[in-house]
């Protein structure tokens, strides 16, 4: 056998081995393709079953409706709050009823960032027979400093976290009481905030003199603030 025949045999053997390996790979790919098709068929059935599951579809629809309602509700509340801040806050005085309505809307807006399981207690107490209910007698935004601080500094993560807000008009006194568990984390810095505690107290002193009291204290990780205003001798 000459050298040329040896080279030819080697080439044939190499080609045969290559073809054999290629056929093995093709067979393996075919098996994998069949397995994939079976998985795809199963997936399509599962998707079809989910598509035909009316309860699943109804739950999704209810969830969408809930978020849509929450968005509309919040925007509506925010619109009222902005109107109050932009227009009523420009007035020298507002009625206790207007201030309490504003406070309720402001609290409702802040609820959004809280877990549904968070303990937020809110009470707004008054009688329609209260003589000062609709009298323009309160400085506007008198509630916002205490409420804003509660949401800003409250612990909203721990299991026993809470915020409690009570606003009351009774016997010619307007009062707001706020308590919250203090967060161990420092609040985020704000370059622009509300009117500020110092400015708030200065305004109270200027308008109401000795007819108001403001107390702030911390006890066992709970911050308490209480404002009480005597409206009896205030002139409209």
């Amino acid at each position: 056998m000459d050298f040329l025949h040896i080279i030819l045999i080697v080439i044939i053997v190499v080609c045969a081995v290559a073809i054999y390996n290629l056929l093995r790979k093709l067979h393996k790919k075919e098996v994998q393709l069949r397995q994939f098709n079976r998985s795809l068929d199963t997936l399509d059935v599962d998707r079809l079953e989910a598509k035909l599951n009316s309860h699943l579809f109804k739950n999704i629809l209810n969830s969408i409706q809930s978020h849509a309602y929450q968005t509309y509700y919040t925007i509506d509340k925010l619109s009222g709050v902005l109107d109050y801040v932009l227009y009523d806050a420009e007035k020298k005085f507002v009625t206790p009823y207007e201030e309490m309505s504003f406070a309720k809307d402001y609290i409702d807006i802040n609820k959004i960032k809280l877990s549904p399981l968070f303990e937020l207690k809110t009470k707004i107490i008054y009688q329609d027979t209260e003589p000062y209910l609709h009298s323009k007698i309160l400085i506007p935004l008198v509630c916002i400093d205490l409420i804003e601080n509660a949401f800003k500094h409250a612990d909203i993560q721990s299991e026993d976290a809470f915020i409690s807000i009570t606003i009351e008009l009774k016997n010619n006194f307007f009062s707001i009481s706020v308590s919250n568990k203090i967060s161990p984390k420092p609040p985020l810095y704000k370059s622009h905030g509300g009117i500020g505690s110092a400015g708030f107290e200065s305004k109270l002193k200027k308008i109401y003199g000795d007819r108001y009291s403001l107390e702030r204290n911390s006890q066992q990780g709970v911050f308490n603030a209480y404002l009480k205003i005597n409206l009896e001798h205030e002139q409209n």
Side-chain angles (χ1 to χ4, degrees):
M1 182 179 295
D2 57 21
F3 181 74
L4 203 60
H5 284 107
I6 294 174
I7 293 178
L8 184 59
I9 291 172
V10 171
I11 293 173
I12 292 172
V13 171
V14 171
C15 289
V17 172
I19 292 171
Y20 174 76
N21 289 334
L22 180 60
L23 290 173
R24 285 188 61 188
K25 289 181 180 179
L26 289 174
H27 177 70
K28 186 177 180 180
K29 291 293 183 182
E30 184 181 1
V31 171
Q32 291 175 340
L33 184 59
R34 282 200 294 265
Q35 291 175 344
F36 175 77
N37 286 334
R38 284 197 294 269
S39 300
L40 188 61
D41 290 340
T42 303
L43 182 62
D44 287 341
V45 171
D46 291 341
R47 285 177 176 173
L48 183 60
E49 289 177 351
K51 186 176 180 180
L52 296 177
N53 188 329
S54 59
H55 294 290
L56 176 63
F57 181 78
K58 184 173 176 59
N59 289 338
I60 294 172
L61 181 60
N62 288 339
S63 178
I64 293 172
Q65 288 177 330
S66 175
H67 286 294
Y69 173 76
Q70 186 181 38
T71 301
Y72 172 80
Y73 177 80
T74 305
I75 290 175
D76 184 58
K77 292 289 183 181
L78 181 59
S79 175
V81 165
L82 289 175
D83 282 344
Y84 188 84
V85 171
L86 291 173
Y87 303 114
D88 292 335
E90 293 296 317
K91 303 173 183 176
K92 185 175 181 180
F93 294 107
V94 295
T95 71
Y97 181 81
E98 289 171 332
E99 181 67 18
M100 288 187 288
S101 297
F102 157 75
K104 183 179 182 304
D105 288 346
Y106 187 74
I107 293 168
D108 287 342
I109 290 172
N110 277 278
K111 281 183 183 179
I112 296 174
K113 62 183 179 182
L114 302 176
S115 162
L117 301 178
F118 183 86
E119 185 179 1
L120 174 62
K121 298 179 180 179
T122 305
K123 291 182 181 179
I124 298 179
I125 305 168
Y126 64 89
Q127 298 291 331
D128 290 334
T129 55
E130 285 292 333
Y132 292 106
L133 180 62
H134 296 289
S135 299
K136 293 189 179 296
I137 206 167
L138 274 181
I139 55 175
L141 307 178
V142 73
C143 293
I144 195 170
D145 186 75
L146 274 61
I147 296 174
E148 185 179 54
N149 283 338
F151 283 100
K152 181 179 177 182
H153 297 284
D155 178 1
I156 61 174
Q157 300 297 330
S158 61
E159 293 182 358
D160 58 345
F162 74 93
I163 295 175
S164 177
I165 302 171
T166 300
I167 305 173
E168 184 174 16
L169 178 65
K170 185 177 181 181
N171 297 329
N172 304 327
F173 282 90
F174 180 88
S175 64
I176 173 170
S177 175
V178 180
S179 300
N180 62 271
K181 183 172 182 183
I182 303 171
S183 173
K185 298 179 181 179
L188 295 175
Y189 172 77
K190 289 185 177 181
S191 59
H192 300 283
I195 60 177
S197 296
F200 174 61
E201 293 186 42
S202 175
K203 194 169 185 178
L204 286 172
K205 182 69 176 177
K206 180 180 179 181
I207 300 298
Y208 298 109
D210 60 356
R211 289 181 291 105
Y212 85 95
S213 61
L214 177 62
E215 301 175 9
R216 304 176 195 256
N217 63 74
S218 299
Q219 295 180 350
Q220 299 179 340
V222 175
F223 183 80
N224 304 291
Y226 180 70
L227 170 65
K228 187 175 184 179
I229 301 173
N230 182 358
L231 304 175
E232 191 170 5
H233 301 291
E234 181 63 30
Q235 299 298 319
N236 291 339

